Amino acid sequence: AGAGAALPSQGPWLEAQAAAAQDADVLLFYGCRRADSDLLYAGDWARLAQHQDPSVAVLVALSQERQSAAGGKQYVTHLIQQHSRRVHRALVLRGGGVWVSGRGGRMPRDVRAAIAAALVAEGLQPAEAEAFLAQLVKDKKYIVEAWA
């Protein structure tokens, strides 16, 4: 999951992961305000979004342009919850990891809570979801790169 300013560091990594996605899912949950001014590398993301491998997905939340299913602004956290099955598959079933990058403050905490909620929606108990995420952190498979 990443905010707009995080893309310079995520772009090459994501492209490499998509190219090597044989036994892994690559999900980019990307958030920014507006497509016309904040959607950096839009052409690259569009190309990756059309990747023929269904295990590769680019999911964009535009908080000033799109509404969440519940109404109000759409954020990455909404997309994570909407795609709970894919998140569960990537993390629990396929042994994936998480890289959260972007603005600090509430965003990293909110993304973690959304991932936990997605795992609960797919059958884990809340304590199991938290323990699973804690293990990812311990195994260095849950990375947060955030700044103020």
Side-chain angles (χ1 to χ4, degrees):
L7 285 179
S9 61
Q10 289 176 337
W13 176 86
L14 182 65
E15 288 184 12
Q17 296 304 308
Q22 295 173 356
D23 293 324
D25 293 341
V26 178
L27 307 175
L28 170 65
F29 292 96
Y30 169 69
C32 65
R33 292 182 181 133
R34 305 183 59 78
D36 60 355
S37 59
D38 298 322
L39 187 55
L40 304 175
Y41 309 105
D44 294 334
W45 307 134
R47 182 173 37 78
L48 282 172
Q50 295 179 359
H51 198 277
Q52 296 301 311
D53 186 340
S55 66
V56 176
V58 178
L59 303 154
V60 179
L62 300 168
S63 64
Q64 300 299 314
E65 294 181 13
R66 296 184 185 157
Q67 294 209 342
S68 69
K73 295 180 179 182
Q74 182 189 57
Y75 294 107
V76 165
T77 53
H78 297 118
L79 292 179
I80 290 169
Q81 291 175 340
Q82 287 172 10
H83 294 274
S84 62
R85 181 168 292 159
R86 292 178 101 166
V87 171
H88 178 267
R89 175 185 149 145
L91 297 179
V92 177
L93 301 180
R94 298 190 95 179
V98 177
W99 180 13
V100 179
S101 183
R103 175 177 247 161
R106 289 181 26 196
M107 187 274 293
R109 181 179 59 242
D110 291 349
V111 165
R112 183 180 172 125
I115 294 170
L119 298 179
V120 169
E122 295 304 316
L124 272 67
Q125 295 297 314
E128 290 174 314
E130 286 301 326
F132 180 82
L133 292 175
Q135 188 64 47
L136 287 180
V137 170
K138 183 178 178 184
D139 294 343
K140 297 183 176 17
K141 292 178 73 177
Y142 192 109
I143 307 297
V144 176
E145 181 181 284
W147 54 89

